[in-house]
Amino acid sequence: MRAREPEGHVTPAGRPGPADPGEIATVRSFHRTVTERVGVLSDRYLGLDRPIGEARLLWETGPQGQDLRRLRERLGLDSGYLSRLLRALEADGLVTVEPLPGDRRVRTVRLTPAGEAEHAALDARSDELAGSLLAPLDTAGRASLVAAMAEVERLLTATAVTLDTEDPAHPDAESCLRAYFAELADSFDTGFDPARSLLPDPGALRPPAGLFLVARLRGEPVGCAGLKLPVDAPAEIKRMWVAPAARRLGLGRRFLAELEAHAAAHGRGLLRLDTNRTLDAAVALYRSYGFEEVPAFNDEPYAHHWFEKRIAPAGRPAGRAAQPPSARWPSSSS
């Protein structure tokens, strides 16, 4: 499963709905204005002898060189098109493509001396273009444009994040969990020992007993979240984490929406989670998303807050839960 949710309307399960015609028209108008103003319609981007695709690939390669796979993921290009761009740069004597000495399966792109010179020229002309966009504006206008650009970049970056269902033993899933546990150890006043925590068995986060999501940005894992679907207790969210570099992208809310939708699709009417008192941002997120604090429903030693949210199971109108109040449920463990 790969979920890509744009910002916009929200369905009862929490997932954003389709954009309306007015929103689409605004986005298209913005695209036309940007492509015109930054000069990407020309085959000689910034006055150089190449179109923007080749110029961007040259710039991303940089003086240090890049792994070919990372370039492909960073730029979102398919292998065939990337190969054509590289051939054009190689033919102009700007890059070389060679196997990595320690692993010949990995190919590395590096700039030649001529490529480094053009990279420097590209950098300088990019600065000139940016300056020309700001020059006609007064101080307030510049501040407004720069702030708006930063916000647009943040939101567009958010749309580049993908959510994939993975096995908890997948290397990216394990990488996220290691980073998550390390952050908890630094954040909790008591430290964090996974051996003391009520960690769910990996099998509890595999279909059909549950699922585990991994978020990726340009191919790199930047977050994770699990959902338990026990047969004798409410659905429960576990191990939700977002990498510091991917925060402020709305990823925590996307995780909640996706897991809620999965729980609803399995006929669940109640969703639970617990968290530590030091995680203020998480507590605020859960409350803003509609979770209500309830008495403890498990013996998690690192938890200080327990939350639950009534959701509309698939096929049922909102407000009609398929499960009884939480007081009638036995305590569940992670």
Side-chain angles (χ1 to χ4, degrees):
M1 184 276 307
R2 176 161 294 186
R4 300 174 186 265
E5 301 88 353
E7 297 293 331
H9 303 299
V10 177
T11 64
R15 284 169 164 166
D20 66 37
E23 292 171 330
I24 290 173
T26 298
V27 170
R28 293 184 60 185
S29 177
F30 178 79
H31 284 173
R32 292 192 296 272
T33 300
V34 169
T35 53
E36 173 192 345
R37 292 295 291 124
V38 302
V40 300
L41 302 179
S42 170
D43 284 340
R44 293 172 54 84
Y45 181 61
L46 296 179
L48 299 174
D49 291 329
R50 63 195 72 264
I52 189 172
E54 294 176 17
R56 178 64 187 275
L57 179 57
L58 182 77
W59 191 87
E60 288 291 346
T61 299
Q64 303 303 317
Q66 287 288 341
D67 176 334
L68 189 58
R69 179 185 65 84
R70 290 187 181 277
L71 277 174
R72 184 172 64 247
E73 292 173 343
R74 175 68 181 86
L75 296 173
L77 301 177
D78 65 70
S79 298
Y81 183 55
L82 179 61
S83 294
R84 291 194 294 275
L85 293 178
L86 284 171
R87 284 198 297 270
L89 294 177
E90 283 184 291
D92 287 344
L94 302 178
V95 302
T96 60
V97 183
E98 301 173 347
L100 189 70
D103 186 349
R104 298 187 64 82
R105 296 170 300 175
V106 178
R107 293 198 298 161
T108 301
V109 184
R110 297 191 183 280
L111 300 182
T112 64
E116 291 178 354
E118 185 157 328
H119 184 278
L122 182 61
D123 234 6
R125 295 191 188 190
S126 295
D127 285 347
E128 291 173 4
L129 173 61
S132 72
L133 295 175
L134 295 171
L137 302 174
D138 60 18
T139 301
R142 291 183 184 187
S144 294
L145 180 58
V146 170
M149 286 179 165
E151 181 66 0
V152 169
E153 181 181 15
R154 181 183 72 83
L155 293 172
L156 289 179
T157 300
T159 69
V161 177
T162 61
L163 302 185
D164 304 307
T165 298
E166 299 287 3
D167 190 282
H170 187 281
D172 285 352
E174 292 185 335
S175 174
C176 285
L177 289 173
R178 284 193 300 270
Y180 174 50
F181 296 156
E183 185 171 339
L184 295 186
D186 290 338
S187 300
F188 291 178
D189 50 13
T190 60
F192 179 77
D193 180 2
R196 292 188 58 223
S197 180
L198 298 180
L199 290 170
D201 180 87
L205 298 177
R206 295 184 178 116
L211 82 159
F212 195 80
L213 298 177
V214 172
R216 293 183 175 89
L217 177 59
R218 303 183 181 103
E220 296 298 320
V222 294
C224 63
L227 179 70
K228 291 173 57 180
L229 295 167
V231 296
D232 58 349
E236 189 173 354
I237 293 173
K238 303 299 296 182
R239 305 312 174 203
M240 193 173 90
W241 172 77
V242 177
R247 289 168 192 172
R248 296 192 67 251
L249 299 180
L251 186 49
R253 191 168 291 269
R254 279 185 65 186
F255 273 137
L256 293 176
E258 189 65 23
L259 296 178
E260 177 182 333
H262 276 279
H266 283 80
R268 303 308 179 92
L270 193 65
L271 193 56
R272 284 177 167 175
L273 56 84
D274 59 65
T275 193
N276 187 275
R277 63 190 170 202
T278 64
L279 304 178
D280 296 335
V283 171
L285 170 64
Y286 302 146
R287 286 176 173 154
S288 70
Y289 193 77
F291 281 88
E292 296 182 353
E293 193 153 1
V294 296
F297 51 76
N298 62 24
D299 298 322
E300 170 59 57
Y302 294 106
H304 302 99
H305 300 279
W306 289 260
F307 292 94
E308 63 183 34
K309 180 185 178 184
R310 294 205 169 279
I311 62 177
R316 293 174 182 258
R320 291 188 58 190
Q323 299 171 336
S326 60
R328 295 179 58 188
W329 282 99
S331 295
S332 62
S333 61
S334 302

